[in-house]
Amino acid sequence: MTFFLAQTDSTAGIRLSDVHLRRGAQAVFQGLSLHLTQRRIGLIGDNGAGKTSLFRLLCGLEHAHQGSVQVAGCDVQRQREQLPGVVGLMFQNPDDQIIFPTVEEELGLSLQYRGIARKAAIVQAQQFLAARGLADWAPRAVSGLSQGQRQQVCFLAMLMAAPQVMLLDEPFASLDLPGQARLARELVVAPAQVIISTHVLDHVRHFERVLWLDQGQVRSDGPGATVCAAYEADVQDRIAQQLDAVPTSSTTAGAQ
Amino acid sequence: MGTLYSEIPSWMHRLPAGLKLLLLALSSMALLVLSDLRIQALAFAAIALLYASLGAASRPTRRLVVVALIASALVGGLHAATGQPWLGLASGLRLVSTTMLGAMLTATTRFGDLLGVAEWLLSPLARLGLPVERLALQLGLMLRFAEQFFVQWQRLADAYRVRTGRSGGWRLLAPLTIHMLITARNVADALAIRLKL
Amino acid sequence: MTTEHRTETRAQRIAMVALFAALLAAFGMIPKIDLPLGVPITAQTLGVMLAGCMLGARMGFQAMVLFLAAVALGLPLLSGGRGGMGVFFLPSAGYLVSYPVAAAVAGLVMRALTGGGPSSPARLAGCAFAASVVGGIVVVHAFGVVGLMLLAKLSFVQAAVGTLVFVPGDLVKCVLVALIVHTVARGLPDWRFGGRHL
């Protein structure tokens, strides 16, 4: 079975229409509608705002009980089998998602959805690594790699699957500076549409579009610099209010 | 985790995995069925020679053969004590012979090659709809989780020691199980995203 | 069941079966403890009982089969770093082969006792203890005895006496299983023991 990348124009991007999502008894999204076509999009907001839920929704891990989710022309809820080639997700903790004990096997798995046999996939993985100057990584045990290296393996695995949309959930959180710089460089040249959820705002400040999610709603949506600045100001205000509300013997001056 | 496969090459390494597996199956069945002491003794001598001919390649499996020798000595002694020394000897010889056969296969055949044979043998079942390719996936995942178990145990042990000044020991087994269950749930999510299941 | 739900459930099943096979492998690497009188406790049957109690009969069975397949293919996953086809010819092979059945029986007993629905952690622990005794001790030793009789040509009496030596250690393991189940029930309240939820 030959696999064709879905014949959509990539400007079709991501479209959420009136999405309602519940987790248990709690409403996560109520009537969320978004059309995301920009190549680089940032997702910021407090923890619990729904960033991870949004990502899980886009991957088909969460199911909206109302509304529709389309990624690159593919209906997430109805065309499940096509998803591996359409969207990829990188979790924050590499140990939560690495499946095989060696690097080449882990990368080889990314080709499974195309029906490529295991041995052939491993050969392709070796070639992929060699092309990036990482040929010696291929037979290495994942457990022998540092956390940053394991994170890199997850990213490489996602690149191998060549999805049209790449979702990265707080990818910079556990990387050292060189690791962050390396990932940032990779993302500049990545051919897919990339959405990054992060608390390190500097990495998305220059993005064409950043969404600020607050309690399941889009609080602000626009150019990276503007939205990031607005979010930062809001955080400062809230912290200042919380500190002012707490009676202390020595009040911190200059909170506002 | 070590492996029982020996990197040191021997003549047996060159034989194809499927052939070795077939020979093992046939010869061990024959040994289990034929109980005549002379046949067992001859077979033992032949197999021991073969095993010895592997030389250094047999080293990873020698422990297993030692276990078999001890077991056969116990069995032999038991039978001798109950007045059936020849039965004990035949049983003991068979025990060590079959174990050595298995050990020779293991020491000279790569895990991946044996897995390939296993998948090939199971492939008729694939036509019946059984997910045979999943065997490799589940084995890989199993090994990954086994490694993670100890990594996670070490992390919990360190945290426990820092906070209580003592070693956690068996107390950590339950929290560790919870951690692994949560990890498995997350990995399942990653599987659901990446694979055609 | 919708398509998405089926994919997730399938993924969960794959991961859980692999996890409990891995636990057995990990337990095999834990060195033996010797009770007084030199009776050894190896942790492996602990994993068998856990697989049955936590996953239920079907997935517990699959997990044990996966583990045995890995051992047969040459991985040194048994206590003492043993593995490969050779181990299936040792007198102890009966015990090995019992694992899938033992886990399945433990799972069935667990389901039967708990009714498959939620219970208090204490009650779950008690059921787990019972399930472990039936699956982890009775079944394992029954197979073990048959194995000893067939492979070592021991008489029934000899085999039975030999196997009873390990029962005290196994009872300790059943208690451990109960404790683990108790803690997991508190830490993961939505976990359905006996395997009804997947």
Side-chain angles (χ1 to χ4, degrees):
Chain A
M1 181 199 97
T2 26
F3 178 87
F4 294 100
L5 287 175
Q7 288 282 341
T8 62
D9 59 332
S10 43
T11 56
I14 298 172
R15 192 188 288 276
L16 287 92
S17 305
D18 193 37
V19 165
H20 294 250
L21 176 69
R22 245 202 316 260
R23 179 169 274 157
Q26 190 172 25
V28 178
F29 298 126
Q30 290 173 307
L32 181 66
S33 293
L34 283 173
H35 187 37
L36 307 171
T37 57
Q38 292 73 13
R39 303 304 295 164
R40 296 290 179 270
I41 300 178
L43 192 60
I44 62 178
D46 293 353
N47 286 336
K51 306 197 297 292
T52 304
S53 297
L54 179 59
F55 276 1
R56 290 174 64 91
L57 196 57
L58 295 176
C59 287
L61 288 177
E62 301 282 351
H63 314 295
H65 59 88
Q66 202 181 318
S68 80
V69 182
Q70 306 241 349
V71 179
C74 177
D75 185 320
V76 154
Q77 319 211 106
R78 252 161 282 219
Q79 292 167 283
R80 205 58 180 73
E81 333 73 52
Q82 299 188 30
L83 281 185
V86 169
V87 61
L89 172 62
M90 196 165 99
F91 299 93
Q92 187 176 350
N93 184 354
D95 291 331
D96 279 347
Q97 58 192 316
I98 295 182
I99 292 160
F100 274 92
T102 63
V103 176
E104 61 192 3
E105 288 174 297
E106 179 65 16
L107 294 193
L109 187 66
S110 298
L111 299 178
Q112 186 261 23
Y113 75 94
R114 291 186 213 166
I116 297 177
R118 189 172 45 94
K119 290 197 183 125
I122 290 182
V123 168
Q124 286 196 38
Q126 290 166 344
Q127 292 165 346
F128 182 84
L129 285 168
R132 299 169 148 266
L134 295 171
D136 58 315
W137 274 36
R140 281 180 69 178
V142 166
S143 56
L145 300 173
S146 72
Q147 182 166 20
Q149 289 172 321
R150 275 179 277 138
Q151 187 96 336
Q152 203 175 345
V153 169
C154 295
F155 185 71
L156 291 171
M158 195 164 58
L159 282 183
M160 268 213 84
Q164 300 199 47
V165 176
M166 296 203 298
L167 308 173
L168 288 87
D169 198 350
E170 304 198 31
F172 300 102
S174 43
L175 293 177
D176 58 7
L177 270 182
Q180 291 181 29
R182 199 181 304 122
L183 181 59
R185 270 249 306 268
E186 291 265 19
L187 291 174
V188 165
V189 297
Q193 179 183 26
V194 176
I195 305 184
I196 300 182
S197 155
T198 183
H199 293 302
V200 184
L201 300 188
D202 285 342
H203 286 120
V204 298
R205 212 180 288 272
H206 59 285
F207 277 12
E208 207 181 325
R209 182 174 179 184
V210 170
L211 297 163
W212 169 11
L213 223 51
D214 185 11
Q215 292 179 325
Q217 291 182 317
V218 178
R219 178 107 169 241
S220 180
D221 181 357
T226 328
V227 178
C228 288
Y231 179 53
E232 283 165 327
D234 179 73
V235 169
Q236 294 281 47
D237 287 346
R238 277 186 283 146
I239 299 302
Q241 282 170 20
Q242 284 175 13
L243 287 176
D244 285 344
V246 174
T248 53
S249 52
S250 59
T251 46
T252 44
Q256 182 54 10
Chain B
M1 186 187 315
T3 170
L4 294 169
Y5 171 74
S6 173
E7 294 288 345
I8 304 170
S10 74
W11 61 271
M12 210 180 250
H13 280 70
R14 287 192 288 271
L15 297 177
L19 177 65
K20 284 184 277 190
L21 190 56
L22 180 65
L23 289 174
L24 171 69
L26 290 175
S27 46
S28 53
M29 272 198 297
L31 281 174
L32 284 169
V33 164
L34 304 164
S35 50
D36 185 73
L37 180 57
R38 286 163 300 180
I39 299 182
Q40 292 290 343
L42 271 172
F44 174 77
I47 294 170
L49 269 173
L50 282 176
Y51 188 77
S53 78
L54 292 179
S58 66
R59 198 180 301 131
T61 55
R62 279 184 207 158
R63 209 191 208 174
L64 182 66
V65 175
V66 168
V67 170
L69 282 167
I70 296 175
S72 72
L74 286 173
V75 165
L78 200 54
H79 280 299
T82 56
Q84 290 178 296
W86 299 125
L87 178 62
L89 187 58
S91 299
L93 286 174
R94 186 199 318 115
L95 219 152
V96 184
S97 297
T98 49
T99 308
M100 278 196 289
L101 283 173
M104 288 194 286
L105 172 71
T106 306
T108 64
T109 318
R110 281 185 195 282
F111 173 81
D113 292 339
L114 268 179
L115 178 58
V117 173
E119 286 178 321
W120 177 78
L121 283 172
L122 293 171
S123 56
L125 293 179
R127 251 163 276 152
L128 294 174
L130 285 180
V132 170
E133 336 75 56
R134 226 176 265 175
L135 177 63
L137 171 64
Q138 297 225 252
L139 283 169
L141 192 48
M142 181 190 84
L143 292 175
R144 168 82 185 136
F145 280 147
E147 290 171 345
Q148 267 305 97
F149 179 84
F150 291 103
V151 169
Q152 195 62 39
W153 192 342
Q154 190 60 52
R155 287 193 200 138
L156 286 180
D158 288 344
Y160 191 89
R161 187 178 286 275
V162 164
R163 293 172 67 185
T164 65
R166 289 179 302 163
S167 148
W170 292 98
R171 274 174 291 238
L172 298 173
L173 203 51
L176 185 52
T177 307
I178 296 179
H179 268 269
M180 295 304 298
L181 286 170
I182 295 175
T183 300
R185 276 186 181 169
N186 292 332
V187 170
D189 280 346
L191 277 174
I193 297 174
R194 292 172 68 185
L195 300 186
K196 234 186 182 51
L197 289 173
Chain C
M1 201 185 273
T2 50
T3 332
E4 319 91 37
H5 199 201
R6 248 209 305 274
T7 312
E8 263 98 79
T9 323
R10 226 170 273 166
Q12 289 284 335
R13 283 205 204 114
I14 292 175
M16 284 306 156
V17 167
L19 174 64
F20 279 83
L23 285 182
L24 229 82
F27 288 166
M29 292 183 231
I30 300 174
K32 302 190 284 191
I33 303 177
D34 282 320
L35 288 183
L37 295 182
V39 174
I41 309 184
T42 63
Q44 232 149 23
T45 40
L46 178 65
V48 179
M49 301 174 198
L50 263 182
C53 292
M54 299 212 48
L55 291 181
R58 188 162 151 208
M59 286 198 293
F61 182 87
Q62 289 172 344
M64 298 301 104
V65 169
L66 179 63
F67 175 76
L68 291 181
V71 169
L73 289 172
L75 296 175
L77 303 176
L78 295 179
S79 332
R82 286 178 282 145
M85 301 277 185
V87 304
F88 290 95
F89 298 115
L90 292 177
S92 49
Y95 296 95
L96 262 194
V97 169
S98 77
Y99 288 177
V101 180
V105 168
L108 288 173
V109 172
M110 190 72 181
R111 168 97 141 254
L113 290 179
T114 62
S119 310
S120 73
R123 177 143 177 258
L124 285 168
C127 299
F129 180 82
S132 299
V133 168
V134 176
I137 298 187
V138 173
V139 172
V140 169
H141 287 278
F143 274 69
V145 162
V146 171
L148 287 173
M149 288 167 65
L150 287 176
L151 291 163
K153 298 284 194 264
L154 294 182
S155 76
F156 174 76
V157 172
Q158 292 168 326
V161 167
T163 208
L164 284 177
V165 157
F166 297 95
V167 172
D170 285 347
L171 282 170
V172 170
K173 282 180 245 177
C174 293
V175 172
L176 270 177
V177 170
L179 289 174
I180 293 176
V181 164
H182 190 255
T183 310
V184 172
R186 285 181 297 130
L188 291 174
D190 57 339
W191 187 273
R192 303 262 206 92
F193 295 86
R196 182 78 67 85
H197 64 314
L198 283 181

